[in-house]
Amino acid sequence: MEFKEFLNIVKDKLPDYLLQYDIEDIHVNTVSKNNGRKFTGIAIAVRDEQISPNIYMDYYYMLYSEEKDMNHILELITEEYVKARENINGYDFKHFEDMDIQNHIFLKLINFEKNQEILADCPYIKYEDLAITFRILLKSDDSGIASACMRNKEFHELNMDIDRLYHIAKENTRKLFPPVLERLDKMIFEKYSDVCEPPQGMDLYVLTNNQGINGAVYMSYEDIISDFAKEHGSFYILPSSIHEVILFPRERDEAREELSEMVMEINRYVVTDTEYLSDSVYFYDSDVGQIVA
């Protein structure tokens, strides 16, 4: 079965599995994610509800290709939709103007070149080969967080310039998702203390936030970076993913080639496409007080 035919069957049959809801429409859409990845989803709109959770179909099509059991696939899609509804029930998803947006804006760091389509319709600040973007926090609880990229429409409605927006979002980010800077060996041992001994001699530090999500943006916080340099001297910044960066105290050009190869290997084999940040290795010169080429 071709993917298009699969989608049509899902659209036609799924209402029979969702009889408890007043389904108004089911439509297929393409969603652009970080780094240009595109996913095909279906949005299930319930009458008089303003939010329609997206259920991505690529995985289910792959599963169908293996199982050839359409009823099971529809049951799985139904389960995911019900869970998605439960996750958003804790938040009132009204129009953005009903929110105090200024207290919900936070920062996210993404790759500049790979996200031109997204950046064309949102405010951002260029940072090295990266872009600092703005997101609106919609929900945050024990089940996780939900956020939306701030588009130019919302930005213009705030009636402020980009510098003011950045100042507000920068402070909000620190309050909403406080930074975490910890030695890598300590972090590994705390997480896997039941199966490993404390590693020795790993002079590496992880910079992220308390959620471990979208924490790489803290590499752009001058006070955090300069405070680290005061204690450790010059250092490399290795972009592990959009969620964290690794700080590695070293002199300029020392082990740079090996570090570049390591970063590219990790990005190729470990980091997912949507979590990729950059292949670059950045060097913070403590004498100059900034990242240098």
Side-chain angles (χ1 to χ4, degrees), residues 4 14 26 28 52 56 90 110 168 209 218 226 235 245 272 283:
K4 185 176 181 180
L14 195 57
I26 297 179
V28 177
S52 302
Y56 297 111
I110 63 176
I168 292 173
N209 59 34
Y218 277 118
S226 63
F235 59 94
V245 294
T272 64
F283 182 76

Side-chain angles (χ1 to χ4, degrees), residues 204 219 236-241 244-248 259-260 262-263 277-278 280-282:
L204 302 172
M219 70 175 281
Y236 286 107
I237 303 174
L238 311 181
S240 178
S241 74
E244 72 281 312
V245 294
I246 305 296
L247 309 185
F248 184 34
L259 292 175
S260 296
M262 181 182 71
V263 168
L277 184 58
S278 175
S280 300
V281 171
Y282 311 96

Side-chain angles (χ1 to χ4, degrees), residues 266-280:
I266 291 174
N267 283 333
R268 183 177 302 172
Y269 297 111
V270 180
V271 179
T272 64
D273 290 343
T274 55
E275 294 180 340
Y276 169 84
L277 184 58
S278 175
D279 283 336
S280 300

Side-chain angles (χ1 to χ4, degrees), residues 220-256:
S220 68
Y221 278 58
E222 298 87 351
D223 60 326
I224 295 175
I225 296 301
S226 63
D227 286 348
F228 183 83
K230 289 175 184 176
E231 183 176 352
H232 300 278
S234 298
F235 59 94
Y236 286 107
I237 303 174
L238 311 181
S240 178
S241 74
I242 60 173
H243 302 306
E244 72 281 312
V245 294
I246 305 296
L247 309 185
F248 184 34
R250 278 294 185 275
E251 291 302 317
R252 190 174 184 179
D253 297 328
E254 185 179 350
R256 184 162 197 148

Side-chain angles (χ1 to χ4, degrees), residues 5-277:
E5 183 182 356
F6 172 80
L7 293 174
N8 288 333
I9 291 176
V10 170
K11 286 178 58 181
D12 291 341
K13 299 291 187 181
L14 195 57
D16 294 337
Y17 290 77
L18 297 169
L19 295 176
Q20 68 270 43
Y21 305 110
D22 186 6
I23 303 297
E24 186 174 44
D25 180 48
I26 297 179
H27 64 272
V28 177
N29 53 35
T30 301
V31 180
S32 295
K33 291 288 189 177
N34 193 38
N35 295 325
R37 286 299 304 275
K38 294 182 183 294
F39 297 90
T40 301
I42 59 167
I44 304 168
V46 174
R47 194 175 307 279
D48 297 326
E49 292 187 1
Q50 295 179 350
I51 189 71
S52 302
N54 250 321
I55 310 297
Y56 297 111
M57 292 291 102
D58 305 81
Y59 165 73
Y60 290 111
Y61 179 63
M62 180 190 69
L63 201 60
Y64 171 77
S65 299
E66 296 173 354
E67 295 185 354
K68 300 292 191 291
D69 185 347
M70 198 66 195
N71 288 331
H72 183 224
I73 298 302
L74 290 165
E75 289 171 355
L76 292 176
I77 294 172
T78 300
E79 289 177 8
E80 181 176 345
Y81 175 72
V82 171
K83 288 180 181 178
R85 289 181 58 85
E86 291 174 353
N87 287 336
I88 66 175
N89 279 342
Y91 193 87
D92 184 12
F93 285 88
K94 294 182 179 179
H95 296 297
F96 280 131
E97 56 264 28
D98 294 330
M99 294 174 53
D100 182 7
I101 293 182
Q102 291 193 34
N103 290 327
H104 291 78
I105 305 169
F106 67 96
L107 302 175
K108 178 181 178 180
L109 195 62
I110 63 176
N111 185 276
F112 178 76
E113 289 297 335
K114 288 182 175 292
N115 289 285
Q116 289 298 296
E117 183 176 344
I118 292 175
L119 295 175
D121 188 35
C122 73
Y124 68 90
I125 295 175
K126 187 76 162 53
Y127 181 79
E128 300 296 327
D129 60 334
L130 310 170
I132 300 173
T133 59
F134 303 85
R135 297 192 68 83
I136 303 171
L137 183 64
L138 303 175
K139 170 180 174 288
S140 180
D141 57 28
D142 292 340
S143 66
I145 69 171
S147 66
C149 180
M150 172 174 276
R151 303 294 180 178
N152 287 330
K153 177 179 181 295
E154 290 85 43
F155 172 49
H156 295 320
E157 288 176 352
L158 289 175
N159 194 28
M160 65 175 67
D161 61 28
I162 192 73
D163 291 335
R164 177 61 179 164
L165 178 68
Y166 175 64
H167 175 76
I168 292 173
K170 188 176 182 181
E171 293 303 310
N172 285 347
T173 304
R174 197 188 292 266
K175 294 174 184 176
L176 295 169
F177 309 109
V180 173
L181 177 59
E182 193 171 24
R183 281 183 65 99
L184 178 60
D185 52 3
K186 181 181 178 183
M187 182 176 290
I188 292 173
F189 179 64
E190 288 176 349
K191 189 172 183 178
Y192 302 106
S193 59
D194 56 333
V195 296
C196 71
E197 295 294 326
Q200 302 295 326
M202 296 177 64
D203 197 21
L204 302 172
Y205 297 79
V206 179
L207 177 59
T208 182
N209 59 34
N210 66 329
Q211 296 276 349
I213 300 174
N214 299 327
V217 72
Y218 277 118
M219 70 175 281
S220 68
Y221 278 58
E222 298 87 351
D223 60 326
I224 295 175
I225 296 301
S226 63
D227 286 348
F228 183 83
K230 289 175 184 176
E231 183 176 352
H232 300 278
S234 298
F235 59 94
Y236 286 107
I237 303 174
L238 311 181
S240 178
S241 74
I242 60 173
H243 302 306
E244 72 281 312
V245 294
I246 305 296
L247 309 185
F248 184 34
R250 278 294 185 275
E251 291 302 317
R252 190 174 184 179
D253 297 328
E254 185 179 350
R256 184 162 197 148
E257 184 175 344
E258 292 86 348
L259 292 175
S260 296
E261 291 177 359
M262 181 182 71
V263 168
M264 286 189 286
E265 287 293 304
I266 291 174
N267 283 333
R268 183 177 302 172
Y269 297 111
V270 180
V271 179
T272 64
D273 290 343
T274 55
E275 294 180 340
Y276 169 84
L277 184 58

